[in-house]
Amino acid sequence: MQGVSSADRAFDVPAAARAVMVALGFVPAVHVIATLAPVALVMLNRCEPRVAALSPLALYLLPPLVVRMMTWIRPLPSGRVDLGSSAFLRWWLTAQWQIVFARLPFLEELLRLVPGLYSVWLRLWGGRIGSFVYWSPGVAILDRSLVRVGSRVVFGMGVRINPHVIAPDGDGSTRLFIAPVTVGDDVLVGGYSVLLAGCSVAAGEVTPPFRSLHAFTRWEGGRRVPGASHDFDQLDQEAR
């Protein structure tokens, strides 16, 4: 349509898909209710005190187990995904089960106080995590099932791993780009870096701090090696 800017159609999703997205947006509220309900019932003398132990289980185990079951039945897509498609909505549902941890990052920081526990938790989501991985404070991960990390890896302060981005495609439309983020063995990821969808870091590399690694590219030999035809230069500049 003439006269309509790209910003006006930046998130062009059919009305039916928008309605589904809104409905799925209540998943975080369901997660919170399931977490608080056992404690509330105990406080109201409706249950025995031991029932309160279900609250941390609902908080930390319910979301990864639900997502793991969903992705086992039908894996998440990889590559370009049309907004509003069934594949997009499947990803959107898994994202909603992670919202509480995105909104309240201290919940994951508590797990990282115990060496190895956070890696175990990521494996519950379906992430592939090696041994002796160190997660510095402030690390943030989206799409936990799409993280692939080798052994003896160190993530610097404030590293962000985004296995998905929503960005303009070559034909002018906006799409979801989603793919696993892969980090090889013996890697040091520089502090406050951003690892975008489909990027990978070769084994033994040290990535610069404050650097965004483009989607679908590879960091190897101390430099970025193009890995796909899509141009994410503008997106990378905005991320930095």
Side-chain angles (χ1 to χ4, degrees), residues 72-119:
W72 177 74
I73 295 173
R74 196 164 184 184
L76 288 176
S78 183
R80 293 171 168 82
V81 178
D82 290 332
L83 302 186
S85 65
S86 60
F88 174 84
L89 293 175
R90 290 202 315 273
W91 163 77
W92 180 259
L93 176 56
T94 65
Q96 297 312 300
W97 278 107
Q98 301 173 76
I99 288 296
V100 168
F101 303 106
R103 301 288 190 188
L104 304 173
F106 74 90
L107 293 173
E108 290 192 304
E109 291 294 346
L110 291 175
L111 294 178
R112 289 194 278 259
L113 289 174
V114 180
L117 182 58
Y118 186 65
S119 294

Side-chain angles (χ1 to χ4, degrees), residues 21-173:
M21 292 176 66
V22 171
L24 295 179
F26 286 95
V27 166
V30 172
H31 182 197
V32 171
I33 292 171
T35 298
L36 298 180
V39 173
L41 291 173
V42 170
M43 294 179 66
L44 294 172
N45 294 319
R46 300 292 181 87
C47 296
E48 297 181 2
R50 61 184 178 181
V51 173
L54 295 176
S55 285
L57 296 180
L59 175 62
Y60 285 109
L61 294 184
L62 179 61
L65 293 179
V66 170
V67 170
R68 186 69 178 268
M69 181 179 65
M70 289 174 50
T71 54
W72 177 74
I73 295 173
R74 196 164 184 184
L76 288 176
S78 183
R80 293 171 168 82
V81 178
D82 290 332
L83 302 186
S85 65
S86 60
F88 174 84
L89 293 175
R90 290 202 315 273
W91 163 77
W92 180 259
L93 176 56
T94 65
Q96 297 312 300
W97 278 107
Q98 301 173 76
I99 288 296
V100 168
F101 303 106
R103 301 288 190 188
L104 304 173
F106 74 90
L107 293 173
E108 290 192 304
E109 291 294 346
L110 291 175
L111 294 178
R112 289 194 278 259
L113 289 174
V114 180
L117 182 58
Y118 186 65
S119 294
V120 171
W121 191 62
L122 292 178
R123 294 184 192 115
L124 284 177
W125 289 91
R128 301 174 188 172
I129 313 298
S131 57
F132 300 106
V133 177
Y134 183 77
W135 309 91
S136 294
V139 171
I141 300 178
L142 304 180
D143 304 309
R144 291 160 179 82
S145 64
L146 296 177
V147 176
R148 311 286 184 261
V149 178
S151 298
R152 301 171 302 279
V153 175
V154 175
F155 289 91
M157 288 276 294
V159 170
R160 185 178 183 90
I161 302 177
N162 287 21
H164 80 270
V165 290
I166 295 177
D169 204 350
D171 59 2
S173 60

Side-chain angles (χ1 to χ4, degrees), residues 146-235:
L146 296 177
V147 176
R148 311 286 184 261
V149 178
S151 298
R152 301 171 302 279
V153 175
V154 175
F155 289 91
M157 288 276 294
V159 170
R160 185 178 183 90
I161 302 177
N162 287 21
H164 80 270
V165 290
I166 295 177
D169 204 350
D171 59 2
S173 60
T174 301
R175 289 188 172 89
L176 168 72
F177 293 81
I178 181 170
V181 170
T182 304
V183 179
D185 295 335
D186 303 298
V187 167
L188 171 60
V189 180
Y192 303 100
S193 300
V194 179
L195 279 61
L196 294 174
C199 78
S200 64
V201 181
E205 293 289 324
V206 177
T207 70
F210 303 99
R211 180 67 180 263
S212 179
L213 302 187
H214 290 222
F216 303 103
T217 61
R218 180 173 177 81
W219 187 269
E220 188 172 8
R223 62 188 182 91
R224 191 182 68 210
V225 179
S229 59
H230 193 82
D231 184 5
F232 278 83
D233 286 341
Q234 182 177 356
L235 181 65

